Amino acid sequence: MIYANIRKALNYIIAIHVPIAGLSILPLIFNKPLLLFPIHIVIMELIIDPACSLLFERQQDLEDVMTNPPRAVNSRMFKGWDILRSILQGGLIMMVAMSVYYIQSDSEDSENKARTLTYLMLVWGNIALIFADLGMGNAQSIKFYIKRKSTWFILLGATVFSVAITQFQFLRQIFHFTHLTSVEFMIPLLGSTFIFLIVSIWNRIATNRARI
């Protein structure tokens, strides 16, 4: 199980850094205002690192772990398909986040509104990816991490952070964000739900194919 947990952690690390890199570079390529500042990336890393240490690397055995076929002795830990899957998962988050950004940046609202919604989409897309990859499409695995204090610690931290950076003026100034209404908060939540469903279905299909 340690081997599987390390693979999941590597998959997650690669995947989540794809949208971070993309959101940093693409606005410049398309002559759009800078989206991510150093402080935004630092905060993301403060979410990513605990997720790897507290969730992926310490995940418990699933009930069906003994039904999985043994890995070959000479098999590599991370194959080309694993890297591609990570890139595609990260690309999905980036696509959803960039869609929010470009739709919002073309509206009459401010540049900071587009940055705020896109960054929250990145934060909650990250949360969606964490739980989708933890479960690997297996609904039974939910009970292994939904009861853990570390899971709720990360969820609570992301929620408090999302509310604080949009509701307190001094934080909005530091992050170059703006105030969001309760309806606008639904945009990143709906987007992250979409990401969770797509990645969960994807992982389920991949897991079933690996057992054939």
Side-chain angles (χ1 to χ4, degrees):
M1 195 61 190
I2 295 176
Y3 177 85
N5 288 348
I6 293 175
R7 290 191 62 188
K8 289 181 182 180
L10 288 174
N11 176 80
Y12 164 70
I13 290 174
I14 294 175
I16 193 56
H17 282 90
V18 170
I20 293 176
L23 293 175
S24 301
I25 298 173
L26 288 180
L28 300 178
I29 295 177
F30 292 99
N31 198 28
K32 292 286 188 177
L34 186 64
L35 180 55
L36 296 182
F37 295 118
I39 190 171
H40 300 143
I41 298 176
V42 168
I43 294 299
M44 281 301 303
E45 295 297 333
L46 292 178
I47 300 175
I48 293 170
D49 290 345
C52 286
S53 300
L54 299 178
L55 296 180
F56 285 100
E57 296 175 8
R58 297 179 59 187
Q59 187 180 13
Q60 302 178 36
D61 293 350
L62 302 181
E63 292 181 354
D64 63 347
V65 65
M66 296 305 294
T67 65
N68 296 330
R71 63 183 177 89
V73 176
N74 59 348
S75 65
R76 291 179 295 176
M77 176 172 289
F78 223 56
K79 302 177 182 178
W81 163 247
D82 296 317
I83 297 175
L84 178 60
R85 186 183 67 174
S86 299
I87 293 175
L88 291 176
Q89 287 182 353
L92 174 64
I93 298 177
M94 184 175 67
M95 180 187 69
V96 175
M98 290 302 295
S99 298
V100 172
Y101 176 70
Y102 279 103
I103 291 173
Q104 188 62 44
S105 63
D106 290 336
S107 67
E108 297 179 356
D109 293 327
S110 67
E111 168 192 327
N112 286 343
K113 176 66 70 66
R115 179 180 294 108
T116 305
L117 286 171
T118 305
Y119 189 69
L120 289 183
M121 185 67 256
L122 178 61
V123 170
W124 286 99
N126 175 42
I127 299 297
L129 180 65
I130 289 173
F131 291 113
D133 278 349
L134 278 173
M136 289 301 292
N138 187 347
Q140 293 181 350
S141 67
I142 293 177
K143 65 182 181 180
F144 285 106
Y145 57 79
I146 203 66
K147 296 180 180 180
R148 298 180 64 177
K149 293 181 179 179
S150 56
T151 300
W152 293 103
F153 173 78
I154 291 176
L155 282 175
L156 179 62
T159 302
V160 172
F161 170 72
S162 300
V163 173
I165 60 177
T166 57
Q167 302 303 314
F168 295 102
Q169 184 176 1
F170 74 98
L171 289 178
R172 295 201 300 264
Q173 292 176 347
I174 293 175
F175 284 88
H176 299 273
F177 286 165
T178 189
H179 175 79
L180 293 181
T181 65
S182 56
V183 175
E184 290 170 331
F185 262 113
M186 294 302 296
I187 296 176
L189 293 180
L190 290 175
S192 61
T193 301
F194 171 76
I195 292 170
F196 174 80
L197 292 175
I198 294 298
V199 177
S200 294
I201 294 172
W202 185 347
N203 285 339
R204 184 62 177 177
I205 294 173
T207 301
N208 289 339
R209 289 186 63 183
R211 292 175 179 175
I212 298 176

